[in-house]
Amino acid sequence: MADAGVRYALVTGGNKGIGLEICKQLASKGIKVILTSRDEKRGLEALQILNHSGLSHHVDFLQLNVVDAASIAAAVQFFTTKYGRLDILVNNAGVLGLEGDVSIPQEVVEATVVAVVANSEVETPPLQLKTKGTTIQTYEAGEKCIHTNYYGVKRVTEAFIPLLQLSDSPTIVNVSSMGGHLTHLRNERAKAVLSNEAGLTEESVDGVVQEFLIDFKEGRLEKNKWLNHATAYQVSKAALNAYTKVLAKRHTDFIINSLCPGFARTDMNGNLGAISAEEAAQKVVRVALLPRGGPSGAFFYDKDAYGVAT
Ligand SMILES: NC(=O)c1ccc[n+]([C@@H]2O[C@H](COP(=O)([O-])OP(=O)(O)OC[C@H]3O[C@@H](n4cnc5c(N)ncnc54)[C@H](OP(=O)(O)O)[C@@H]3O)[C@@H](O)[C@H]2O)c1
């Protein structure tokens, strides 16, 4: 059961990329990290990496697929029995929502670089693309993206809230993206709903996401001015930022924030990017370790993970 002297953190998608680095850094600070992965083999391999870094006492593995209700329920049950409390939940797992015939989604990388450069002080080196392939937005991939990046976060969060309520400093960090910043949204209705902070509700955010999926399925992306590139990813992260605000208002004794970790070299973007996964994780960890009474309901993005709000 819960050890009063230990802080417990759960990280989704902890088997690689930014998630693995988040686990490593939190564990290095003496926090008990539960590294989760949807795939047991990949999760246990990641655990081995951290064990070899001398962190074996600080990291455990737990299978968790954020789109699988049974997996979430089993994880909560196991967590309740083994640890009895959760202090920090890092919703990091995510997918880009594109299909393609190349390993490097060139147009996504280019658009992301433009967005990042426009909104930050991070110096971005010139792009050296290794291939010139294309990626395709299919409805199936877009729907999966929404279900992972938005509904997955919601389901995991709701399931773990009772364990977080047992903490004296409950903290939730949603790893989002500048791609979800409202300046990138063109659909007027979605923009109006998501930018009306005072009127935001879980239902209104869900409504935007559902309208987007219907438009996508029925071929109205262009007509209704949804962006024409990585649209599901952008909508999922915009909705995630809005949900973060709704949740922060509901749980005023929690610290709940979202952030963009920066454009980092991971598998998600063919390992292009301005910063390393380690640097991106440092930003996430700073937000995860905000002191009690710190900001809540914010979207952070700058090189210190503290500047630009919505
Ligand atoms: N890299 C960037 O430049 C960047 C920029 C802004 C935001 N982000 C965000 O940062 C987060 C981490 O991304 P990353 O760059 O580290 O990408 P990544 O290397 O592709 O890692 C994504 C992680 O999410 C996991 N995942 C995907 N679907 C899942 C599911 N249904 N259940 C549980 N885990 C699942 C993956 O597991 P598998 O190994 O099993 O696929 C993997 O561990 C994402 O939310 C991403 O949107 C990244």
Side-chain angles (χ1 to χ4, degrees):
M1 283 308 275
D3 180 335
V6 177
R7 288 189 83 194
Y8 299 95
L10 184 149
V11 181
T12 66
N15 57 289
K16 68 175 183 177
I18 299 170
L20 178 57
E21 283 295 331
I22 296 168
C23 292
K24 188 175 182 182
Q25 291 175 27
L26 286 173
S28 304
K29 291 178 188 297
I31 290 165
K32 180 78 182 183
V33 175
I34 292 73
L35 178 160
T36 73
S37 166
R38 61 176 159 180
D39 181 273
E40 184 165 343
K41 184 168 176 286
R42 289 197 285 272
L44 289 172
E45 282 167 5
L47 186 69
Q48 280 299 313
I49 293 171
L50 299 188
N51 286 347
H52 288 142
S53 305
L55 295 168
S56 55
H57 293 309
H58 298 292
V59 192
D60 284 347
F61 165 72
L62 185 56
Q63 193 275 341
L64 178 58
N65 184 337
V66 305
V67 296
D68 180 346
S71 166
I72 296 172
V76 170
Q77 194 171 10
F78 181 85
F79 207 98
T80 306
T81 309
K82 181 147 188 201
Y83 308 107
R85 187 187 77 238
L86 178 61
D87 298 291
I88 302 168
L89 171 62
V90 182
N91 287 307
N92 163 78
V95 294
L96 199 51
L98 295 170
E99 288 177 8
D101 59 355
V102 294
S103 58
I104 300 172
Q106 178 175 345
E107 68 271 35
V108 174
V109 171
E110 283 171 345
T112 309
V113 169
V114 169
V116 167
V117 169
N119 288 289
S120 86
E121 297 162 22
V122 174
E123 282 183 28
T124 308
L127 267 185
Q128 299 281 330
L129 293 174
K130 294 173 197 149
T131 181
K132 288 220 177 252
T134 53
T135 48
I136 316 157
Q137 290 201 95
T138 61
Y139 176 76
E140 288 67 29
E143 188 185 36
K144 186 173 154 203
C145 176
I146 293 283
H147 280 275
T148 306
N149 300 1
Y150 176 61
Y151 288 115
V153 171
K154 285 184 68 174
R155 284 202 197 95
V156 170
T157 301
E158 278 152 24
F160 277 95
I161 274 179
L163 281 164
L164 282 158
Q165 281 168 329
L166 301 174
S167 169
D168 59 9
S169 56
T171 303
I172 300 172
V173 182
N174 293 329
V175 181
S176 185
S177 168
M178 273 307 288
H181 196 278
L182 293 179
T183 50
H184 301 306
L185 217 54
R186 297 281 173 273
N187 178 285
E188 290 305 328
R189 217 186 98 66
K191 201 165 183 156
V193 171
L194 298 183
S195 59
N196 175 14
E197 283 196 26
L200 272 182
T201 63
E202 208 171 321
E203 291 72 28
S204 67
V205 183
D206 281 356
V208 167
V209 170
Q210 286 309 314
E211 273 182 38
F212 162 70
L213 283 175
I214 292 168
D215 278 352
F216 199 167
K217 197 169 197 172
E218 298 181 357
R220 291 194 297 266
L221 286 188
E222 203 173 330
K223 177 169 178 269
N224 288 341
K225 295 197 173 68
W226 297 104
L227 281 185
N228 55 9
H229 126 98
T231 324
Y233 185 77
Q234 298 185 330
V235 172
S236 73
K237 296 298 191 181
L240 178 59
N241 291 341
Y243 173 65
T244 303
K245 291 180 191 305
V246 172
L247 207 60
K249 269 193 199 164
R250 188 181 301 157
H251 297 282
T252 50
D253 51 338
F254 283 35
I255 294 188
I256 305 175
N257 293 297
S258 61
L259 84 154
C260 175
F263 184 39
R265 291 182 287 278
T266 68
D267 287 349
M268 186 171 276
N269 53 32
N271 287 293
L272 293 165
I275 59 174
S276 64
E278 185 183 347
E279 289 169 288
Q282 282 167 5
K283 300 174 188 210
V284 180
V285 167
R286 282 187 69 177
V287 176
L289 298 180
L290 281 171
R292 200 176 163 78
S296 191
F299 170 64
F300 292 118
Y301 184 80
D302 74 5
K303 64 183 173 185
D304 295 313
Y306 280 102
V308 181
T310 54

